[in-house]
């Protein structure tokens, strides 16, 4: 039956006095949220501890009973359950209109057209194709029956659409391939715009997320589930972030309503676990959504703040706390499936990416997993509980008195000694453990160092127990060293310990094994129990030797010096490092005193065995050999001192016969042998005794020279005391040096030269005084220096007076000398500089003679040279042979110099040498050759270096060269052979090397040519001939005009242009003169490009001028003159193949060419005519 809509409307309009959607007048006023949904204040505590306004997404309710429940408050644990509760909640809030109109398209049409309710009900009973035809009737009926507003229809749609989204999502599931399209079609069905539909999907996502968080149990599948939910609802990152923020705000508000903050601080509380899960899901959702770092920080910070005001870092740590157990389970699964081959490092990498585990955290977890597997392979539980075995509740309790401290230490010691050591020899890796651990290491990506460390951490203690007990067995002689090392090495291999670690570990074990007996002995020594100390140290030495033997089996070079490796007193971990310096010396002193025994005659001595034990003990206690020697000295020194004093006094009395020396030697040797005294100790006592004897003889000898008997006495004493003669040079020099110095001064006499007959007696005196050759030489040089100083000072003074005026001399010396005279009575008439006259040459030669005749100059071999020698033939009448031999090359050295004696300054020394060189050069008398031969000697006596002497000679030579060459070249262009011979002679006289002489000559020539060039170009009247002559002169002398003469590049270019211009203008230089141009260009130092540029510029300049003349002549009717100019133009054009770059009007070009073609060509070759005409055409820019 069909009813008209108007009838239905009439029925409905007669309803009771209720609102159109059955809202009670007592209903609480709704509030509109940001998303357009409505919410109400709660009246009772909701289910599951969540408030009724948990999410601001609750639609309007229809009764008081439904006001207190919300979508979130009805959610059970899990997303799908939350959706079911959400749908049920919305179902309880449907309006009558919604219940009547199940077709959302009708609701949409009603909402858009704002149709009266009577029409809407009628439309529900009318087929949809007649909907438009019936609309008019419905509207008319509504006028009388009362209308329904558009806003109520839209509110009803907003109630129905979220429920429809949640229902479809619940029915299809988040993993269904069609769920996204199915949800998207609901937007069209309900007529919701994009923004509102997006908000509704965001609401549904928040409901689902809150449901997932309510279940504290986190699962990795939820990450995929959340990603699928986002895709199903077609949410972008911004909407996802808003959904997480909304869920966090309401979820935290509901949780804290019934859970206190102190309970949320408990990491194991269910609500805290739920909050951490929400943080974890949010962090993963944002990261997997591809957010930028800035966007991630913003979105995640919002969630963190909403969940109790957490900071970003705190939230990240709590997210990690949820993620890490997942990865720990993945690692555990990896370990359990190693043998199956079903796990790989890529699988772990994907798991880390899913869970957000960074590389640093992953490495720590990988190392922990590897360590756990190591323990499992050893047959041990994964977790090591041994750390709690030694826990003492009172260990941090403070003690108040010294007695309490001692009691506590004693109790700890007793407990340690009574502690039963567990036998761990059976703990070792199972078969296949190596392959298993290697596979796990590879999958976990651990380095060899990390893996080795974890293995060592788990097994080292077990190896140490075996090694220590084995060493103790070896020390107790129950095992041989070889067997002990075999056991230790076998245990190492069982526990996979690396060879590289064994050396340090074995050292620690040896230190521990040897430290125990030393610690026990130290207790005896501190209470002066000498017998127990002695016995304990002997046992400790034996234990040390046993440990050495064990380590010898290892053949480690590091332990070749065993004592140094294991007994370092400065290392607290060494075998003796725990002993104080006082304890170590106390133990040694006790052992030393117990080692001293007495013979039947009461003589004290130490046996060979005891000496060896003392040496071993010193190395164990970290005592030096010097400390051991000092101990022996302190104990036996007085005995040695007594016998040596007696023997010395007996010999010094004189008459030291061989028998006396023999008897005394026997007494001394007996003491040395009895007390096992070393030579160093004997020398330390003998040296002072001998020195005292020498000083006594020196003090009692007239003139300081010992007699023959006294010399013999000292020789006998040296023999007895076993002192080498070289060791006594110093004391003999200090004692008898003055006597030798006096002898040298007397030998010098008034002349200052030691005559030849005095030299050997001086040498005999030195030997008699027991002085070394070096000491004698030093005294000799001191005496020579004392005599030489006034001679040099006099020469220096005379030199200053020679070259300085009285005013200059007064200024230098700070005093007015008035009119100064030389020793010959002449006045000083020099000036600052060189003088060629002087009065000091004889004084200088006297100094040279003094130096040379006293044999002070020393010859030192500095190398060798090869020389040819002629040797006669072995056979009679045979030819001479030439052989090559090497001869030494000597260099003169001057052990004492004027500068070294500081009796002359550098400036005056150079002036003296300069004066001497000038005098030797200018002197023409009989002394000239002597002066010249003594130049190097005088420079050496002054202390000048070879380079300085050559520099001074070069300066003088430079002045001579300048003057001579300038004078010679003023009359000729080049130096001849006679000039070169003269310069070579000068070079030899001044001691100038050949290379330096050539350099000076070249410098002088350059200077002269440069001056000539300046004069040439500054004259203002320069000619081509002068330029050519100057150029050729420089070329003949081998001088470069730019680098040697100093002409600029522009000047050289100008010279080239000036020299070639007349030749080009006259026709002397043509295209066939290329060699001439190249010769001029190269002699001027110009490149080919620079020469071509000059020629081109010159021709261009000339061509432009000639063109002007040609045009002018044609205008004036001077055709014959124009033709002559064209002949010149053709001459220039030949240099550049006619390309002169001229700008000629076509009419002028044609006229000029016709004039040139019509000239008289009689006697000219046809090829030449054709060539010249072609060049002119090209020059005028005419086509051929």
């Amino acid at each position: 039956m069909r009813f008209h809509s108007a009838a239905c409307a009439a029925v409905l309009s007669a309803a009771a006095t209720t609102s159109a959607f059955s809202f009670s007048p007592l209903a609480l006023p709704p509030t509109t949220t940001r998303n357009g949904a409505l919410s109400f204040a709660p009246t009772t505590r909701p289910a599951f501890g969540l408030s009724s306004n948990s999410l601001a997404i609750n639609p309007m309710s229809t009764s008081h009973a439904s006001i207190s429940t919300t979508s979130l408050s009805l959610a059970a644990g899990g997303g799908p359950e939350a959706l079911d509760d959400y749908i049920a909640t919305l179902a309880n809030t449907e309006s009558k209109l919604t219940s009547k109109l199940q077709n959302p398209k009708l609701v949409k049409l009603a909402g858009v057209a704002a149709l009266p309710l009577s029409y809407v009900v009628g439309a529900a009973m009318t087929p949809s194709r007649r909907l438009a035809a019936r609309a008019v009737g419905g509207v008319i009926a509504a006028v009388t029956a009362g209308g329904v507003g558009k806003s109520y229809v839209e509110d009803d749609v907003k109630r129905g659409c979220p429920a429809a989204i949640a229902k479809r999502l619940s029915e299809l599931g988040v993993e269904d391939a069609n769920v996204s399209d199915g949800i998207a079609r609901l937007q069209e069905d309900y007529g919701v715009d994009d923004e509102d539909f997006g908000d509704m999907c965001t609401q549904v996502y928040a409901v689902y997320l809150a449901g997932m968080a309510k279940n504290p149990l986190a699962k990795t599948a939820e990450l995929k589930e959340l990603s699928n939910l986002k895709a199903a609802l077609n949410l972008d990152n911004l909407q996802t972030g808003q959904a997480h923020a909304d869920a966090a705000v309401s979820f935290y508000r509901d949780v804290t309503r019934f859970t206190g903050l102190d309970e949320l601080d408990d990491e194991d509380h269910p609500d805290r676990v739920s909050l951490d899960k929400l943080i974890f899901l949010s962090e993963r959702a944002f990261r997997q959504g591809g957010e930028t770092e800035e966007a991630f920080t913003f979105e995640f910070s919002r969630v963190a703040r909403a969940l109790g005001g957490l900071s970003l870092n705190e939230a990240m740590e709590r997210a990690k706390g949820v993620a890490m157990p997942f990865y720990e389970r993945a690692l555990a699964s990896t370990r359990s499936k190693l043998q199956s081959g079903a796990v790989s490092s890529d699988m772990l990498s994907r798991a880390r990416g899913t869970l957000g585990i960074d590389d640093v955290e992953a490495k720590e977890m990988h190392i922990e997993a590897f360590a756990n597997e190591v323990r499992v392979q050893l047959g041990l539980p994964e977790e090591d509980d041994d750390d709690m075995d030694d826990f003492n509740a009172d260990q941090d309790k403070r003690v108040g008195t010294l007695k309490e401290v001692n009691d506590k230490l004693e109790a700890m010691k007793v407990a340690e000694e009574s502690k039963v050591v567990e036998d761990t020899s059976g703990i070792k890796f199972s078969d296949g453990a190596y392959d298993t651990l290697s596979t796990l290491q590879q999958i976990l990506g651990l380095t060899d160092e990390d893996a080795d460390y974890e293995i060592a951490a788990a097994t080292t203690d077990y190896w140490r127990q075996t090694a220590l007990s084995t060493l103790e067995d070896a020390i107790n002689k129950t095992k041989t060293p070889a067997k002990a090392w075999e056991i230790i090495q076998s245990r190492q291999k069982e526990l996979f310990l690396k060879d590289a670690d064994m050396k340090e570990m074995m050292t620690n074990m040896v230190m521990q094994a040897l430290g125990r007996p030393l610690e026990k002995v130290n207790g005896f020594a501190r209470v002066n129990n000498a017998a127990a100390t002695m016995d304990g140290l002997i046992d400790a030495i034996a234990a040390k030797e046993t440990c050495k033997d064990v380590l010898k089996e290892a053949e480690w070079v590091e332990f070749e010096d065993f004592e140094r490796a294991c007994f370092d007193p400065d290392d607290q971990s060494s075998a003796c490092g725990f002993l104080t310096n006082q304890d170590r010396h106390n133990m040694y002193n006790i052992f030393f005193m117990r080692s001293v025994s007495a013979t039947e005659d009461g003589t004290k001595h130490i046996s060979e065995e005891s000496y060896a034990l003392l040496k071993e003990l010193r190395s164990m206690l970290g005592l030096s050999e010097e400390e051991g020697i000092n101990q022996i000295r302190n104990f036996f020194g007085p005995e040695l001192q007594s016998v040596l004093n007696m023997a010395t006094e007996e010999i010094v009395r004189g008459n030291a016969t061989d028998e006396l020396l023999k008897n005394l030697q026997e007494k001394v040797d007996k003491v040395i042998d009895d007390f096992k005294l070393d030579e160093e100790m004997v020398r330390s006592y003998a040296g002072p005794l001998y020195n005292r004897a020498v000083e006594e003889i020196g003090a009692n000898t007239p003139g300081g020279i010992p007699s023959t008997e006294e010399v013999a006495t000292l020789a006998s004493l040296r023999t007895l005391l076993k002192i080498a003669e070289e060791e006594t040079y110093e004391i003999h020099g200090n004692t008898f040096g003055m006597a030798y110095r006096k002898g040298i001064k007397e030998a010098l006499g008034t002349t200052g030269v030691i005559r030849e007959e005095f030299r050997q007696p001086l040498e005999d005196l030195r030997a008699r005084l027991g002085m070394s050759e070096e000491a004698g030489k030093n005294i000799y040089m001191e005496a020579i220096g004392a005599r030489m100083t006034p001679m040099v000072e006099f020469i220096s003074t005379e030199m200053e007076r020679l070259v300085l005026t009285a005013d200059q001399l007064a200024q230098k010396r700070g005093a007015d000398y008035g009119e100064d005279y030389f020793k010959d009575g002449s006045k000083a008439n020099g000036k600052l500089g060189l003088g060629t006259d002087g009065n000091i040459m004889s004084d200088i030669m006297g100094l040279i003679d003094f130096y040379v005749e006293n044999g002070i100059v020393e010859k030192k071999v500095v190398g060798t040279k090869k020389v040819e020698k002629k040797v006669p033939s072995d056979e009679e009448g045979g030819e001479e042979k030439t052989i090559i031999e090497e001869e030494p090359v000597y260099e003169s050295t001057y052990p004492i110099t004027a500068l070294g004696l500081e009796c002359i300054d550098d400036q005056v020394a150079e002036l003296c040498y300069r004066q001497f060189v000038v005098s030797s050069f200018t002197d023409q008398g009989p002394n000239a050759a002597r002066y010249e031969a003594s130049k190097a000697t005088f420079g050496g006596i002054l202390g000048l270096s070879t380079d300085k002497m050559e520099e001074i000679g070069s300066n003088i030579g430079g002045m001579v060269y300048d003057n001579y060459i300038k004078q010679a070249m003023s009359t000729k262009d080049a130096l001849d052979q006679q000039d070169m011979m003269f310069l070579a002679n000068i070079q030899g006289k001044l001691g100038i090397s050949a290379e330096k002489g050539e350099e000076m000559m070249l410098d002088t020539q350059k200077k002269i040519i440069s001056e000539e060039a300046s004069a040439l170009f500054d004259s203002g009247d320069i000619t081509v001939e002068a330029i050519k002559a100057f150029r050729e002169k420089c070329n003949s002398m081998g001088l470069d005009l730019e680098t040697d003469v100093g002409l600029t590049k522009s000047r050289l270019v100008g010279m080239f242009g000036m020299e070639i211009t007349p030749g080009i203008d006259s026709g002397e230089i043509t295209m066939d003169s290329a060699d001439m141009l190249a010769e001029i260009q190269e002699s001027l130092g110009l490149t080919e490009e620079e020469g071509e540029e000059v020629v081109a510029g010159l021709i261009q300049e000339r061509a432009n001028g000639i063109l002007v003349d040609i045009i002018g002549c044609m205008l004036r009717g001077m055709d014959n003159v124009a033709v002559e100019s064209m002949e010149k133009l053709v001459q220039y054009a030949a240099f550049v193949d006619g390309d002169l770059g001229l700008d000629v009007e076509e009419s002028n070009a044609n006229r000029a060419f016709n004039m040139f073609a019509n000239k008289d060509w009689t006697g000219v070759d046809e090829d030449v005519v054709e060539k010249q005409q072609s060049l002119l055409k090209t020059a005028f820019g005419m086509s051929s």
Side-chain angles (χ1 to χ4, degrees), residues 821-1083:
Y821 293 87
F822 292 104
K823 62 181 181 179
D824 62 356
S826 62
K827 297 180 180 180
N829 57 2
K831 57 184 178 179
L832 188 60
L834 286 176
T836 58
D837 296 325
N839 307 282
I840 61 172
M841 291 302 291
S842 60
D843 298 304
I844 293 176
M845 291 309 299
L847 174 63
I848 294 173
D849 292 341
F850 165 80
Y851 204 94
V852 172
E853 292 177 15
N854 280 310
I856 303 174
V857 181
E858 298 177 353
K859 297 291 185 180
K860 181 173 66 175
V861 178
V862 295
T864 59
K865 64 179 180 180
K866 294 182 178 181
V867 295
E868 292 183 355
K869 287 187 177 181
K870 299 287 186 178
V871 295
S873 174
D874 296 336
E875 300 178 0
E876 184 177 353
E879 297 182 357
E880 288 184 339
K881 296 180 180 179
T882 302
I883 62 173
I884 298 177
E885 292 183 352
E886 284 193 355
E887 292 186 351
V889 177
Y890 295 96
E891 181 181 82
S892 297
T893 60
Y894 300 84
I896 183 170
T897 64
L899 289 173
L901 293 172
E902 298 183 354
C903 54
I904 192 172
D905 59 40
D906 292 340
Q907 183 181 11
V908 177
E910 293 177 14
L911 286 175
C912 289
Y913 182 74
R914 185 185 296 270
Q915 179 65 42
F916 190 82
V917 172
V918 171
S919 297
S920 66
F921 173 68
T922 58
D923 194 292
Q924 301 298 321
N927 292 323
R930 188 173 175 224
Y931 292 162
E932 183 176 346
S934 302
K935 292 197 303 293
T937 303
F938 182 55
I941 294 172
L942 291 173
L944 300 178
S945 65
T946 302
D947 293 339
K948 177 58 70 174
M949 288 188 279
E950 184 172 356
E951 178 186 340
I952 294 173
S954 299
N955 291 338
I956 299 172
M959 293 165 40
V960 176
Y961 270 51
D962 283 352
N963 292 333
Y964 183 83
I965 295 176
K966 186 179 294 184
Q967 182 178 0
M969 294 190 67
S970 64
T971 59
K972 46 192 168 186
D973 292 338
L975 300 176
D976 54 25
Q977 185 177 1
Q978 183 177 357
D979 297 327
M980 301 303 292
M981 291 178 62
F982 177 80
L983 292 175
N985 184 44
I986 297 295
Q987 176 182 314
K989 284 180 173 292
L990 296 177
I992 302 172
S993 64
E995 293 79 8
K996 187 65 176 179
E998 184 177 352
E999 179 184 342
M1000 290 168 55
M1001 185 175 67
L1002 185 60
D1003 290 342
T1004 300
Q1005 289 178 329
K1006 289 179 183 178
K1007 180 179 178 182
I1008 294 172
I1009 292 298
S1010 296
E1011 293 174 353
E1012 186 177 334
S1014 298
L1016 176 65
F1017 291 108
D1018 293 344
S1019 64
D1021 187 18
I1022 185 171
T1023 63
V1024 175
E1025 290 75 14
I1027 290 177
K1028 180 178 180 182
F1030 179 75
R1031 174 176 60 79
E1032 292 177 347
K1033 181 177 182 179
C1034 292
N1035 291 338
S1036 66
M1037 297 175 64
L1039 299 178
D1040 185 273
L1041 290 169
E1042 183 176 7
T1043 58
D1044 294 334
V1045 182
L1047 298 182
T1048 63
K1049 180 66 73 174
S1050 60
R1051 175 63 59 85
L1052 295 174
V1053 170
M1055 290 173 63
F1056 181 67
M1058 290 178 64
E1059 190 168 349
I1060 67 173
T1061 297
I1064 293 177
D1065 290 343
S1066 64
E1068 181 182 355
I1069 299 177
T1070 64
M1071 281 298 296
D1072 298 330
S1073 306
D1075 293 341
M1076 181 187 302
L1077 288 173
E1079 187 271 329
I1080 298 173
Q1081 162 217 314
E1082 291 174 359
S1083 65

Side-chain angles (χ1 to χ4, degrees), residues 439-499:
T439 303
L440 181 60
Q441 176 191 348
Q442 183 178 5
I443 293 175
L444 297 180
L446 298 180
T447 64
D448 290 343
E449 290 77 7
D450 290 334
D452 292 343
Y453 178 85
E454 295 305 320
I455 292 174
T459 61
T460 298
D461 285 343
Y462 304 123
W463 176 87
R464 284 175 178 166
Q465 184 175 344
T466 300
L468 187 59
S469 62
T470 303
L471 282 175
E472 289 175 348
D473 290 343
I475 291 172
N476 295 328
K477 306 302 181 182
T478 59
K479 286 185 176 68
T480 65
K483 183 62 177 178
W485 175 246
E486 179 184 347
I487 294 172
I488 292 172
Q489 193 174 41
S490 175
R491 188 60 170 150
Q492 170 207 347
K493 298 184 182 303
E494 288 178 351
L495 298 176
F496 297 170
L497 292 173
K498 296 293 183 180
D499 291 340

Side-chain angles (χ1 to χ4, degrees), residues 487-529:
I487 294 172
I488 292 172
Q489 193 174 41
S490 175
R491 188 60 170 150
Q492 170 207 347
K493 298 184 182 303
E494 288 178 351
L495 298 176
F496 297 170
L497 292 173
K498 296 293 183 180
D499 291 340
D501 300 330
M502 284 297 294
K503 295 174 184 177
E504 182 178 357
M505 293 165 57
M506 197 65 193
T507 301
N508 293 333
M509 290 300 96
V510 170
M511 291 178 179
Q512 188 173 347
L514 295 178
R516 290 179 179 178
L518 285 179
E519 183 180 10
K520 184 177 181 180
V521 171
N522 188 42
F524 297 142
R526 285 189 171 186
V527 295
N528 292 324
N529 187 342

